[in-house]
Amino acid sequence: MAQAWRCAGLSWTAGGPVLIWDGGRRSALTWGKTVAFGVAEGGARTCVGARGNTCPLAARVSARSTGPRCEECARLDRAHSVAADTLADDPRPYRVYLAWFGAGMTKVGITAERRGSARLLEQGAVCFSWLGTGPLMAARRTEELLRAALRVPDRIPYAAKRAARAALPVTGEERAAEIAVLHARALELTGWPESLAPAPFRPVDHVEAFGLAEAPAPVGVVGELAAGGAVSGELVAAAGPDLHLATDRGVLVLDTRLLPGWELVPAGGRRVEVPVRALKERPAAQDGLF
């Protein structure tokens, strides 16, 4: 029987996307590389546990869920977390950013300064700019200020991001236009925390880093994995947790958040033997930013 591997997720480095495996092994992903794996026969997706500890119940997790943890382990994993707003005493500096994913889809968020732009790559931000740097709570207040005063959300569904990638503006200037307007309006707001140092507008574009300029538009999305199934294709682009694979069924998007919790084995060819659903159509663009 082939050796089974367990995926811990996808990470973005300066060199591009990397798949991480339990035990620390890493697989760098480059354009044109074949990504191929099977799902062990007779298996089931089980909870990956929390904070380095195995799930005491070895609970089963839905194959369609992008979260690989059971309810209890998910709760423990998010405890004392900046993302879950359960950590308020981190003394390290944080950055506020504006991220753009497509027409009418800009969000505000924060990330630790030490992480650089990794958070933006992980989210699949097509373009972004820093807004300011300061203590954690000042960054949080600025995030709230933009949500309340400019109606900028702090979350955008992944399905909407995927659909938007199929119809991006051609130039970097066009892709940066919406966050340019928002950045200027944000700096004019009253109530800006004094301890947050504003940053000038300097857009960073990720179209080249994601490989989106030359890649064909995807026609579908892997909906879930299944025991005995397989996914194999050539990597043509990647954004956030999504891999765009050229397969025997056209270019499909594989959300790597579906992988953790399964036992994976080697596979070959360009076949896809798991459920696939059509890519959602791009939602109608907003009439304006506000």
Side-chain angles (χ1 to χ4, degrees):
M1 180 180 177
Q3 180 181 2
W5 295 84
R6 285 185 171 269
C7 182
L10 182 128
S11 177
W12 280 86
T13 69
V18 175
L19 280 175
I20 303 173
W21 305 91
D22 284 4
R25 179 186 172 190
R26 291 173 169 244
S27 299
L29 300 175
T30 54
W31 312 141
K33 182 173 184 175
T34 296
V35 176
F37 61 88
V39 185
E41 293 275 2
R45 192 184 190 195
T46 56
C47 174
V48 299
R51 298 185 175 273
N53 300 304
T54 58
C55 175
L57 302 177
R60 293 201 175 189
V61 179
S62 168
R64 297 183 180 182
S65 174
T66 55
R69 296 178 174 85
C70 67
E71 185 175 340
E72 181 62 18
C73 286
R75 184 185 66 79
L76 292 173
D77 189 66
R78 291 176 68 81
H80 204 59
S81 161
V82 171
D85 206 17
T86 55
L87 174 64
D89 57 355
D90 189 340
R92 295 170 294 187
Y94 277 77
R95 281 174 161 174
V96 185
Y97 61 80
L98 288 169
W100 183 87
F101 300 90
M105 291 194 298
T106 300
K107 64 157 282 188
V108 61
I110 70 172
T111 184
E113 183 181 43
R114 62 184 174 81
R115 297 205 66 209
S117 61
R119 180 65 178 148
L120 285 306
L121 291 163
E122 292 167 358
Q123 292 184 40
V126 175
C127 180
F128 82 93
S129 178
W130 301 120
L131 191 58
T133 304
L136 173 58
M137 295 313 295
R140 278 289 188 218
R141 287 196 299 274
T142 305
E143 187 182 39
E144 286 290 340
L145 178 63
L146 265 67
R147 286 207 298 258
L150 301 182
R151 293 190 293 170
V152 184
D154 63 346
R155 296 181 188 276
I156 293 177
Y158 272 95
K161 297 177 186 179
R162 293 184 188 117
R165 286 182 213 138
L168 294 174
V170 175
T171 68
E173 290 77 9
E174 290 175 293
R175 295 190 289 269
E178 289 187 27
I179 56 173
V181 173
L182 276 172
H183 191 283
R185 292 199 61 179
L187 294 184
E188 293 173 353
L189 292 173
T190 58
W192 188 274
E194 292 183 2
S195 57
L196 194 93
F201 179 66
R202 290 176 181 164
V204 177
D205 194 275
H206 285 155
V207 163
E208 183 175 346
F210 290 157
L212 296 173
E214 305 297 329
V219 298
V221 180
V222 172
E224 61 184 283
L225 302 186
V231 175
S232 183
E234 178 185 303
L235 183 67
V236 296
D242 292 344
L243 302 182
H244 294 212
L245 304 177
T247 75
D248 60 353
R249 300 169 66 171
V251 175
L252 300 178
V253 176
L254 169 66
D255 187 336
T256 54
R257 296 176 298 173
L258 297 175
L259 273 59
W262 289 102
E263 288 194 339
L264 305 178
V265 295
R270 290 162 66 97
R271 61 197 176 102
V272 175
E273 298 173 348
V274 294
V276 172
R277 65 175 185 269
L279 188 71
K280 289 188 177 180
E281 293 185 4
R282 172 74 169 92
Q286 295 175 192
D287 292 334
L289 282 176
F290 313 106

